Amino acid sequence: MLAKPLTLKDAIALDAADPLAHLRDLFELKPGTIFMDANSIGPMPKAVRQSAEGLLDDWVALRRRGWSNRQWLDMPSRLGDAIAPMIGAGPGEVVVCDSTTINQFKAVAHCLAINHPRSVVLSQNGNFPTDVHVIQGMIEASRGRLSLRFIDTEQEAIAAMDETVAVAALSHVDYRSGERWDMKRVTEAAHAKGVLTVWDTSHSAGAVPVALRESRTDMAIGCGYKYLCTGPGGPAYIYARQEIADAVWPALAGWMGHADVFGFTRDFAPHPGVKRFIAGTPAVAANELAKALLDIWPKIDPQKLWARHRSLTDLLIQLLDQECGSLGIEVTSPRDHDRRGGNVSFRSPGAGSVVEALIDHGVVSSFRKPDAIRFGVSPLVISHQDIHETVARLKRILVEDIWKQPKYKKVSV
Ligand SMILES: *Cc1c(COP(=O)(O)O)cnc(C)c1O
């Protein structure tokens, strides 16, 4: 027997029963636009406008007290504590600072120092380029002491762990396919061979379950501006288990990671714990834009948010199959939510042009060569009705050959 086709009515019923449906009211959304691109940038909390104005007022007045009132110095830790539950970390284990690229350097260098003289770094062929480039730069600077070993699958990663490997620097979720790795399983296999782990959780944090503590990973890093909504170019995060953080100095030792920041001593002494990874002055302006999150993330039950993401993306996959399966759309992300990250990817004829046409029809998403479309689903603001409407618009673009219009030939990335 065929299952009954899903309709708009089903989407409305799912929204009515959704305990987190009210969350979208905290965000300023462009009317008529469905934002399916949270894997590039997350939505803007309404409270951001006010903190941005206050920041500019304080700047004009050069108010020193204004800065202190903004707690600019503590913001890396306060923001870190706010997002910690979303990545399965505890208070004091995460700081928000710098970019993912820079935090990758700090984390990999830290693990290499702890595991000296082991010299091999393990990573995925399909890892996000910057994560690999950072390692390649370190190898170049090491003048041949360090080397990189690439693997493709979880099984290969586990098999590649041996006494030569210092650190496995892996992405939790493949940014193209959306496939999520089993962090605990791989970390256990690494530890059995004395290998330390650094996980990049850019495409899982704030969307799907991440359990840093429980998986006993040594360090983790990730983007703030994606599902976590720290804003355009907003700061990233870094996590370290206490004993790992305290084992050696940070390779990027700066005055803000000093045990006594305003002691102005000549010689470095690392702050205990993860705070040693704060290198220089926090990005005060960027943190002001991120500050609205202090009132959002701590109030959300992570289990409920992850369940909502599961419900939204399960519906999305079912509707893509049902409505667009015969039009050449093929979902390439894992069907099992436990193996998916924040985004759902699918193949489409003329994928780049379809994404352009979608933008014109009020759906923002992203294209990845050669033929992949990614829908990054933010469980904070996307509703089941949005999902239904998105697939309806996509279907129209395909059925009516709208994507073949000359104006959609030019594809922007
Ligand atoms: C988005 C993303 C980055 C981006 O790093 P930046 O330093 O912010 O440019 C890095 N790694 C992964 C896995 C990403 O998804």
Side-chain angles (χ1 to χ4, degrees), residues 112-120 145-146 163-166:
L112 279 168
I114 294 172
N115 249 346
H116 188 85
R118 293 186 182 204
S119 61
V120 176
R145 192 185 88 77
L146 302 175
E163 338 26 75
T164 65
V165 181

mmCIF file of all heavy atoms in Angstrom, residues 112-120 145-146 163-166:
data_model
loop_
_atom_site.group_PDB
_atom_site.id
_atom_site.type_symbol
_atom_site.label_atom_id
_atom_site.label_comp_id
_atom_site.label_asym_id
_atom_site.label_seq_id
_atom_site.Cartn_x
_atom_site.Cartn_y
_atom_site.Cartn_z
ATOM 1 N N LEU A 112 49.196 18.843 18.517
ATOM 2 C CA LEU A 112 50.535 18.437 18.050
ATOM 3 C C LEU A 112 51.569 18.624 19.156
ATOM 4 O O LEU A 112 52.457 17.785 19.349
ATOM 5 C CB LEU A 112 50.942 19.262 16.819
ATOM 6 C CG LEU A 112 50.374 18.796 15.474
ATOM 7 C CD1 LEU A 112 50.606 19.863 14.400
ATOM 8 C CD2 LEU A 112 50.997 17.468 15.039
ATOM 9 N N ALA A 113 51.442 19.719 19.896
ATOM 10 C CA ALA A 113 52.411 19.983 20.975
ATOM 11 C C ALA A 113 52.280 18.935 22.077
ATOM 12 O O ALA A 113 53.282 18.448 22.604
ATOM 13 C CB ALA A 113 52.193 21.389 21.534
ATOM 14 N N ILE A 114 51.026 18.578 22.390
ATOM 15 C CA ILE A 114 50.815 17.580 23.450
ATOM 16 C C ILE A 114 51.364 16.220 23.005
ATOM 17 O O ILE A 114 51.982 15.503 23.783
ATOM 18 C CB ILE A 114 49.315 17.456 23.790
ATOM 19 C CG1 ILE A 114 48.791 18.745 24.424
ATOM 20 C CG2 ILE A 114 49.067 16.272 24.721
ATOM 21 C CD1 ILE A 114 47.283 18.785 24.611
ATOM 22 N N ASN A 115 51.131 15.890 21.754
ATOM 23 C CA ASN A 115 51.503 14.560 21.281
ATOM 24 C C ASN A 115 52.871 14.500 20.603
ATOM 25 O O ASN A 115 53.174 13.545 19.894
ATOM 26 C CB ASN A 115 50.427 14.033 20.316
ATOM 27 C CG ASN A 115 49.667 12.861 20.941
ATOM 28 O OD1 ASN A 115 50.107 12.310 21.942
ATOM 29 N ND2 ASN A 115 48.549 12.491 20.339
ATOM 30 N N HIS A 116 53.690 15.499 20.833
ATOM 31 C CA HIS A 116 55.054 15.489 20.318
ATOM 32 C C HIS A 116 55.764 14.220 20.803
ATOM 33 O O HIS A 116 55.590 13.878 21.967
ATOM 34 C CB HIS A 116 55.788 16.733 20.822
ATOM 35 C CG HIS A 116 57.129 16.923 20.202
ATOM 36 N ND1 HIS A 116 57.307 17.559 19.000
ATOM 37 C CD2 HIS A 116 58.355 16.520 20.609
ATOM 38 C CE1 HIS A 116 58.585 17.551 18.691
ATOM 39 N NE2 HIS A 116 59.251 16.927 19.640
ATOM 40 N N PRO A 117 56.569 13.511 20.027
ATOM 41 C CA PRO A 117 57.023 13.838 18.666
ATOM 42 C C PRO A 117 56.213 13.183 17.538
ATOM 43 O O PRO A 117 56.707 13.101 16.429
ATOM 44 C CB PRO A 117 58.456 13.294 18.677
ATOM 45 C CG PRO A 117 58.369 12.086 19.556
ATOM 46 C CD PRO A 117 57.299 12.374 20.578
ATOM 47 N N ARG A 118 55.016 12.698 17.830
ATOM 48 C CA ARG A 118 54.203 12.175 16.717
ATOM 49 C C ARG A 118 54.031 13.289 15.683
ATOM 50 O O ARG A 118 53.921 14.457 16.040
ATOM 51 C CB ARG A 118 52.829 11.743 17.222
ATOM 52 C CG ARG A 118 52.873 10.524 18.151
ATOM 53 C CD ARG A 118 51.454 10.096 18.463
ATOM 54 N NE ARG A 118 51.419 8.968 19.372
ATOM 55 C CZ ARG A 118 50.409 8.114 19.452
ATOM 56 N NH1 ARG A 118 49.335 8.272 18.676
ATOM 57 N NH2 ARG A 118 50.434 7.120 20.298
ATOM 58 N N SER A 119 53.945 12.898 14.420
ATOM 59 C CA SER A 119 54.062 13.952 13.399
ATOM 60 C C SER A 119 52.998 13.907 12.304
ATOM 61 O O SER A 119 53.021 14.713 11.390
ATOM 62 C CB SER A 119 55.447 13.866 12.747
ATOM 63 O OG SER A 119 55.590 12.597 12.133
ATOM 64 N N VAL A 120 52.070 12.950 12.394
ATOM 65 C CA VAL A 120 51.070 12.845 11.324
ATOM 66 C C VAL A 120 49.743 13.466 11.774
ATOM 67 O O VAL A 120 49.308 13.271 12.905
ATOM 68 C CB VAL A 120 50.834 11.368 10.921
ATOM 69 C CG1 VAL A 120 49.727 11.247 9.881
ATOM 70 C CG2 VAL A 120 52.129 10.750 10.416
ATOM 71 N N ARG A 145 58.872 18.111 8.945
ATOM 72 C CA ARG A 145 58.686 17.263 10.123
ATOM 73 C C ARG A 145 57.279 16.669 10.165
ATOM 74 O O ARG A 145 57.090 15.499 10.461
ATOM 75 C CB ARG A 145 58.943 18.050 11.421
ATOM 76 C CG ARG A 145 59.036 17.128 12.641
ATOM 77 C CD ARG A 145 59.169 17.849 13.966
ATOM 78 N NE ARG A 145 57.911 18.201 14.593
ATOM 79 C CZ ARG A 145 57.115 17.354 15.244
ATOM 80 N NH1 ARG A 145 57.438 16.082 15.345
ATOM 81 N NH2 ARG A 145 56.001 17.770 15.808
ATOM 82 N N LEU A 146 56.273 17.504 9.831
ATOM 83 C CA LEU A 146 54.883 17.051 9.908
ATOM 84 C C LEU A 146 54.394 16.543 8.560
ATOM 85 O O LEU A 146 54.936 16.913 7.515
ATOM 86 C CB LEU A 146 53.982 18.206 10.356
ATOM 87 C CG LEU A 146 54.315 18.854 11.700
ATOM 88 C CD1 LEU A 146 53.400 20.056 11.941
ATOM 89 C CD2 LEU A 146 54.168 17.854 12.832
ATOM 90 N N GLU A 163 50.372 4.740 16.029
ATOM 91 C CA GLU A 163 51.249 5.509 16.932
ATOM 92 C C GLU A 163 51.983 6.651 16.230
ATOM 93 O O GLU A 163 52.663 7.440 16.887
ATOM 94 C CB GLU A 163 52.294 4.701 17.670
ATOM 95 C CG GLU A 163 52.240 3.230 17.931
ATOM 96 C CD GLU A 163 51.442 2.377 16.989
ATOM 97 O OE1 GLU A 163 51.943 2.152 15.860
ATOM 98 O OE2 GLU A 163 50.342 1.932 17.353
ATOM 99 N N THR A 164 51.872 6.743 14.912
ATOM 100 C CA THR A 164 52.515 7.884 14.246
ATOM 101 C C THR A 164 51.579 9.097 14.220
ATOM 102 O O THR A 164 52.022 10.218 14.044
ATOM 103 C CB THR A 164 52.896 7.548 12.782
ATOM 104 O OG1 THR A 164 51.699 7.318 12.037
ATOM 105 C CG2 THR A 164 53.805 6.340 12.690
ATOM 106 N N VAL A 165 50.269 8.854 14.375
ATOM 107 C CA VAL A 165 49.297 9.952 14.241
ATOM 108 C C VAL A 165 49.208 10.743 15.550
ATOM 109 O O VAL A 165 48.971 10.176 16.620
ATOM 110 C CB VAL A 165 47.897 9.417 13.846
ATOM 111 C CG1 VAL A 165 46.913 10.581 13.679
ATOM 112 C CG2 VAL A 165 47.975 8.603 12.556
ATOM 113 N N ALA A 166 49.397 12.046 15.439
ATOM 114 C CA ALA A 166 49.303 12.915 16.613
ATOM 115 C C ALA A 166 47.864 13.348 16.832
ATOM 116 O O ALA A 166 47.353 13.319 17.952
ATOM 117 C CB ALA A 166 50.194 14.147 16.420
#
